[in-house]
Amino acid sequence: MPFLEIKQLTKVYNARTVVSAVDLTMEKGEILSLLGPSGCGKTTILRMLAGLIVPDSGYIRVDDRVFYDNGHQLPTEERQLGMVFQDFALWPHMTVAQNIGFGLRLRRQSNQIIASRVEELLTLVNLPGFGGRFPHQLSGGQQQRVAVARALSTTPRLLLLDEPFSSLDTGLRATMREELVQLFKHLKITAINVTHDQDEAMVMSDRIMVLREGVVQQIGTPTDLYLDPENTFVASFIGQANFFGCKHLDSAPGDVASTANVNLTWPAAEPTLPPESKRFTGLVSPNVLTHLNGQVSLMCRPDDVRIHAVPPAAEVPNVLAGTIAYTSFVAGQWRTMVRVPGQTPEILTYPKFSPKIDQAVWLELPPEACRVLPG
């Protein structure tokens, strides 16, 4: 039996469905990220788990406790959850030790137990000796560590994080998310993290749930979502991606589609796929097979696009001629947009050489790196 189980969870506001029939299971010790743009329903799901919002229908169970079952709701204070908010929500008039021990005092634990637990947690979050300071005397990263320690003080069944890195600068954000993952894995904590930052989700998560307008688009490991997305939304939200609108040419031999006035190919299907899919890659998702006679998108990640300053040999497949539209040097590599006639938007790639604006180049899309997605 999974540690967490959600079935058909739904929430409607003013006739608008913000969470639509969400199903989810999690194992104990797993870290899951809810990823999507603003307004996709991820924070609403988190708050329904916490009991701060009442669902309209569905079922929520964590371990051996049913949190919600079609109208029957367990009070928030009985759910044994920990929560870390965007702004950390530390009491400004309390010391670090008092903030961390606040939940234990509410549970009428003895001063000795509280003091021991506070010192243990301060050591875990790398803040030994900070118990006597006030929040305003701490940096943003230190305040976040205190917020996490406070959430862990009561040994919660499940830890909920609502965009906990949003107020931190870029460098500190990267450091803190790695520290927290190591801490959670060390303590075997089950956690759900809400974020719209794809890098954060990729770094922190065992699995990611991608949401769009309240509907689950795909659930999987970071690697699965990056290498084998189920649709163009997931592909574009998990990393950078280039898309080429294609229409299948059933009368043409081989693996052919047309885009930007150029024929593109991709690998033949694996033998296990049905005969009608023989002109499609074995990595294609099953739902694409229903689009064999219509519009689809061919996806190729920027990392996989090969850019040439001179035309490749005539036998090289999937070559598009274009010109450099824009280029910048970011994180040790050239990030370059290439303008191809008939193709919108421009194609993103990472050349090994220093490109010049308006320079003529040739792009190679290796067939083995292409994916076919519903158009």
Side-chain angles (χ1 to χ4, degrees):
M1 185 171 66
F3 177 77
L4 178 147
E5 184 178 20
I6 293 175
K7 295 180 181 178
Q8 297 295 294
L9 193 64
T10 301
K11 185 63 184 179
V12 178
Y13 285 121
N14 299 322
R16 175 176 172 263
T17 302
V18 295
V19 174
S20 179
V22 168
D23 291 329
L24 172 67
T25 59
M26 286 180 65
E27 299 302 325
K28 190 173 180 61
E30 187 177 14
I31 301 174
L32 174 82
S33 284
L34 307 183
L35 178 67
S38 297
C40 71
K42 53 188 184 294
T43 297
T44 301
I45 293 174
L46 199 76
R47 291 179 175 270
M48 286 192 285
L49 273 166
L52 304 176
I53 294 177
V54 180
D56 290 320
S57 63
Y59 174 84
I60 304 173
R61 178 188 56 77
V62 176
D63 203 4
D64 58 350
R65 305 295 298 276
V66 175
F67 285 8
Y68 180 83
D69 188 2
N70 285 316
H72 301 285
Q73 170 124 319
L74 187 70
T76 298
E77 61 272 16
E78 296 181 23
R79 299 190 180 201
Q80 293 180 261
L81 301 175
M83 193 160 185
V84 179
F85 300 92
Q86 292 183 32
D87 59 0
F88 312 140
L90 300 177
W91 298 104
H93 63 287
M94 292 184 183
T95 65
V96 167
Q98 290 170 336
N99 267 283
I100 295 174
F102 184 75
L104 295 172
R105 287 196 298 275
L106 291 180
R107 287 163 174 76
R108 302 185 183 280
Q109 297 292 326
S110 69
N111 290 336
Q112 183 178 0
I113 290 176
I114 293 174
S116 175
R117 181 64 171 158
V118 167
E119 287 304 314
E120 176 189 357
L121 288 166
L122 284 173
T123 300
L124 277 173
V125 297
N126 296 318
L127 290 177
F130 279 67
R133 299 192 188 187
F134 287 88
H136 71 271
Q137 297 173 311
L138 305 177
S139 68
Q142 290 168 341
Q143 289 184 40
Q144 187 192 56
R145 290 187 180 97
V146 173
V148 170
R150 182 181 61 183
L152 296 177
S153 64
T154 55
T155 315
R157 295 171 181 265
L158 178 67
L159 183 63
L160 307 177
L161 303 105
D162 188 6
E163 302 206 42
F165 308 103
S166 59
S167 62
L168 303 179
D169 61 63
T170 303
L172 183 57
R173 189 181 306 143
T175 301
M176 289 304 304
R177 64 194 182 199
E178 291 169 1
E179 284 188 11
L180 288 189
V181 169
Q182 292 180 39
L183 176 63
F184 295 165
K185 290 302 181 183
H186 172 69
L187 298 176
K188 299 180 180 179
I189 290 170
T190 308
I192 297 179
N193 176 45
V194 161
T195 182
H196 61 266
D197 185 325
Q198 58 179 258
D199 290 338
E200 178 184 319
M202 296 285 277
V203 169
M204 289 193 65
S205 313
D206 296 308
R207 287 189 303 147
I208 300 171
M209 173 192 281
V210 181
L211 292 150
R212 182 184 188 186
E213 296 180 353
V215 178
V216 176
Q217 301 296 302
Q218 188 173 354
I219 303 175
T221 67
T223 304
D224 289 342
L225 269 58
Y226 186 83
L227 295 179
D228 196 16
E230 291 187 359
N231 55 50
T232 55
F233 179 81
V234 174
S236 60
F237 215 87
I238 301 290
Q240 301 284 342
N242 296 304
F243 299 103
F244 304 86
C246 303
K247 182 175 177 61
H248 302 294
L249 304 179
D250 289 343
S251 60
D255 315 315
V256 181
S258 65
T259 181
N261 301 316
V262 177
N263 284 342
L264 297 178
T265 70
W266 53 90
E270 296 292 334
T272 53
L273 291 178
E276 65 269 22
S277 67
K278 286 300 182 185
R279 63 168 61 95
F280 296 93
T281 170
L283 295 174
V284 68
S285 300
N287 59 353
V288 175
L289 301 181
T290 62
H291 297 260
L292 288 176
N293 297 315
Q295 297 289 336
V296 296
S297 289
L298 192 71
M299 181 199 79
C300 191
R301 296 285 186 187
D303 317 68
D304 296 319
V305 177
R306 299 170 186 167
I307 183 168
H308 304 274
V310 296
E315 63 271 15
V316 175
N318 294 358
V319 175
L320 305 176
T323 55
I324 302 294
Y326 175 79
T327 188
S328 59
F329 193 71
V330 180
Q333 64 182 356
W334 291 102
R335 188 179 188 277
T336 300
M337 305 299 296
V338 178
R339 186 185 303 112
V340 173
Q343 169 65 25
T344 304
E346 294 156 343
I347 300 171
L348 175 63
T349 185
Y350 305 127
K352 301 299 182 184
F353 57 89
S354 175
K356 307 297 182 185
I357 300 297
D358 294 329
Q359 176 183 351
V361 292
W362 288 261
L363 302 179
E364 177 190 349
L365 313 180
E368 67 275 9
C370 295
R371 299 291 185 276
V372 184
L373 302 173

